Amino acid sequence: MKVTEAIAKALANLGADTMFGVVGSGNFHLTNALIAHGVRYVAARHECGAASMADAWGRLAGRPALLTLHQGPGLTNALTGITEAAKSRTPMLVLAADVSARAITSNFRIDVSAIASGTGATAARLHSTGFAVDDAVRAYRTARDERRTVVLGLPLDVQAGECTWPGNPEARMAEPAPPSQRQVADLAAVLADASRPVFVAGRGARSPAARTALEELAGRCGALLATSAAAKGLFRGNPWDLDVSGGFASPLAVELIANADVLVGWGCSLNMWTTRHGTLIGRGTTVVQVDNDHSAIGRHRQVHLGVVGDVALTASAVAGLLEPQPGDAGEAYAGERDADGPRAIGYRSAELRNGLAARVRWRDVPYDDESDSNRIDPRTLTIALDDLLPAERIVAIDSGNFMGYPSMFLSVPDQDGFCFTQAYQSIGLGLASAIGSAIARPDRLVVAALGDGGALMGVSELETAARLGLSMVIVIYNDEAYGAEVHHFGPDGYPLETVRFPPADLAAIARGFGCDAVTVRTAEDLGPVRDWLEGRPGRPIVIDAKVTSDHGAWWLEEAFRGH
Ligand SMILES: Cc1ncc(C[n+]2csc(CCOP(=O)(O)OP(=O)(O)O)c2C)c(N)n1
Ligand SMILES: [Mg+2]
């Protein structure tokens, strides 16, 4: 059989069912063979868009999407999206056509392996017709079981060859790794002694099983619950949820996290964003990190105790060594009383529970509304959208000064409600991330939150969103500038002509792509969005929001410290 046919059959048998891409001569036959094997193909308009769609899809599905690319420029166009996926450990298999070994003078010749490795992706290759299926299966397994972005180079001569079908590939996934008994006991001892424990769950804890296990354990030791931005939403609905730890944390969450005596990162790198450059970790705080990847422990900061193991398995094992508490979830306080009131467990008290309910959300923190009749304060806009949009949503965020507003003021229903493609801090990926999210979760309303700069950089995928008939909301925080740069350099008096732009009618541009659109200067202008939400007409709506931008978002300063 043809090598393309054999590879397609093997990948489909392993469970691949969705691919994104742009088709040229180098990936035409393989893409068609995959379609013939039932794999859904989504055509993007730019390879970087295709890569970000595949990245978002993989984050939500928890298994690899395929990204199918033409040789040479097909791969180089996709590189920013591939780099984001690689840095985020998104499971993804890039099918990258490449020139034949003998085509040494081809225009399309580039060093695929070196480029792939240079981005942090794993480089793989079809080596020969006889072993092509083995090469492809190994690449898929690496992507799926090790959560890696794998770039599989597909030389044209090998693709065009013939092979014999080697038999069905093994579809079974790698088992999650259990922790050692000794490390479990050490962590249980730390938590048993803790009086103000805080859990910070990250990307490696983004599953219902991990949530259940962490909530059970947190109840036994009285821990408060926070997440990194990548896992935002994991503990939604839990009365002890502090939401995101780091630059997006509300003042109350900051205070509580900084006062922890024990802080445990669960599948969380505890990087400079999550810890605000370490300032959220108190001097005397005992820091523990639990991760299934040995190399992640202590990578960003020193820890007192490292536990190697799957988050859900480790949390359950540790919980087994601690006594259950009456009212683990904070519900039974009324029944348990000390002399001076309901009994506290660890960090949890009735008073704190009330404080969290009243003040932990950003939208409950008072602010001065800077809107005028011509421009809307981004906080006011985002709170109005939070009220308007259905709770069952996925918020996908681009990069820029604006990005804190949707991240902090839009609530999300669970760990699958926030698609944060920010590991590479690129602008222009947000719209495509939103499209990939919408394809992964057609049951949810997807909200893309973009700046005007990022929106115009990725604008070609508006055609994709309209062509696919996606009912999604695309809100553009339009300050007619690269606001992040304006607010970074403006205060020091530098010239800003390079980072400011004349007004653009983004609503008209969106209509040209076949989207609905509305220009918003005040909260009242959102009326058409309400009507659109009732009808969900099978096309996107773009909100061109003319926002105030007299000064930078307060968290931006923090972000620039990371440069
Ligand atoms: C691909 C890429 N190019 C340039 C940058 C540098 N950069 C960071 S934020 C930003 C401005 C983004 O403008 P916009 O999308 O309008 O958002 P705003 O900052 O105005 O809210 C730029 C150019 C980047 N992060 N990524
Ligand atoms: Mg802008």
Side-chain angles (χ1 to χ4, degrees), residues 2 11 28 37-38 61 123 127 129 142 168 210 232 260 262 277 279 293 328 358 431 454 467 536 547 556:
K2 283 225 165 340
L11 294 177
F28 182 84
H37 279 280
H127 292 100
T129 50
T142 303
N168 265 342
K232 181 177 166 72
V262 172
H277 295 273
T279 58
D293 180 352
D328 291 46
L431 174 59
R467 169 168 40 86
R536 301 242 195 138
V547 293
L556 191 76

Side-chain angles (χ1 to χ4, degrees), residues 29 36 101 131 133 145 183 191 249 261 263 309-310 315 352 374 443 503 505 524 535:
H29 293 301
F131 290 99
V133 169
D145 297 349
Q183 293 186 332
L191 291 175
D261 66 340
L263 188 137
D310 172 78
L352 181 63
N374 216 23
D443 56 313
D505 187 349
E524 288 71 55

Side-chain angles (χ1 to χ4, degrees), residues 108 116 129 157 164-165 214 241 360 362 382 451 508 548 555:
F108 290 131
T129 50
D157 52 348
T164 48
W165 175 243
L214 288 172
D241 181 16
V360 83
W362 264 108
T382 316
T548 57
W555 59 268

Side-chain angles (χ1 to χ4, degrees), residues 195 201 373 424 539:
S195 44
S373 57
Y424 194 31
R539 55 184 174 269

Side-chain angles (χ1 to χ4, degrees), residues 408-425:
M408 298 188 296
F409 292 89
L410 287 181
S411 71
V412 298
D414 58 23
Q415 72 283 352
D416 289 337
F418 196 62
C419 186
F420 196 62
T421 41
Q422 297 295 336
Y424 194 31
Q425 283 184 264

Side-chain angles (χ1 to χ4, degrees), residues 221-263:
C221 63
L224 305 182
L225 299 162
T227 67
S228 67
K232 181 177 166 72
L234 179 66
F235 298 117
R236 187 62 69 254
N238 187 300
W240 309 103
D241 181 16
L242 304 179
D243 202 4
V244 174
S245 170
F248 299 153
S250 70
L252 178 57
V254 166
E255 186 190 317
L256 291 166
I257 296 166
N259 283 328
D261 66 340
V262 172
L263 188 137

